Amino acid sequence: MLDSYLQGVLGAQAPSTALRTGGTRGRLHRHAAEPGWEAVVAYDSGEPIGYIYANRLTGADDRWWCRTRPAPESVVAEASTVAVKEMMVRRRWRGQGIARGLHDVLLAGRPETQASLMVNPLNQDGRVRALYVAWGYRTVGTAQSSPEAPVLTVMVR
């Protein structure tokens, strides 16, 4: 999975970001150690073309919800939730429904009653956020992991 992960990150981000793959690997390993971590990788003729991974949130006091502004309603923050941490399809295979397929396969096997994700509202001029709305997600707030990080839209379905 790491090869697919790095190919996706390196192929989709600016060169200055791509140079920080040590941080990318660290994030993947940190996320993989979180409760309920699960990943799905898509292949085309044996070649990894996309991935998604997620983990189970630990409740209303999970850092996911603590960063969200305004604070989410208790019915949202206290629900059993799987958090989609990353999803990417390599450029050549985009626009073919692969991301939705990865998403649906991952969620189909999960016991949680709610899914959440964060998206940069500027990603692809807002098209990624619009895609998530079409998949049934709704906005519950925003989050920013650090002052240098972009403000992300927090969504649930």
Side-chain angles (χ1 to χ4, degrees):
M1 182 177 143
L2 186 57
D3 287 342
S4 176
Y5 180 75
L6 291 175
Q7 286 175 355
V9 170
L10 293 174
Q13 297 190 7
S16 61
T17 302
L19 294 175
R20 296 182 290 141
T21 57
T24 299
R25 282 190 180 131
R27 182 174 63 235
L28 175 63
H29 289 290
R30 181 176 33 104
H31 286 167
E34 293 175 345
W37 187 83
E38 183 177 2
V40 177
V41 180
Y43 293 89
D44 182 7
S45 302
E47 181 178 0
I49 61 169
Y51 68 88
I52 184 172
Y53 70 81
N55 73 283
R56 179 181 61 253
L57 297 184
T58 57
D61 59 348
D62 190 281
R63 74 174 185 260
W64 186 272
W65 298 127
C66 291
R67 291 180 181 159
T68 303
R69 297 291 177 260
E73 299 174 10
S74 60
V75 68
V76 170
E78 294 173 5
S80 171
T81 305
V82 59
V84 175
K85 296 290 181 82
E86 288 200 22
M87 175 172 35
M88 188 171 300
V89 174
R90 292 174 59 199
R91 192 170 314 269
R92 183 171 135 204
W93 288 271
R94 292 181 187 167
Q96 301 176 40
I98 294 167
R100 179 65 188 258
L102 285 164
H103 175 269
D104 291 352
V105 166
L106 178 78
L107 295 186
R110 301 293 306 200
E112 296 85 3
T113 59
Q114 174 177 264
S116 183
L117 53 77
M118 294 184 189
V119 61
N120 184 330
L122 304 177
N123 192 350
Q124 295 186 24
D125 297 322
R127 290 190 307 273
V128 174
R129 185 190 168 286
L131 184 67
Y132 296 151
V133 168
W135 293 359
Y137 283 88
R138 65 182 174 85
T139 299
V140 295
T142 61
Q144 188 174 19
S145 60
S146 71
E148 303 81 32
V151 175
L152 303 176
T153 300
V154 181
M155 304 180 85
V156 298
R157 73 168 226 178

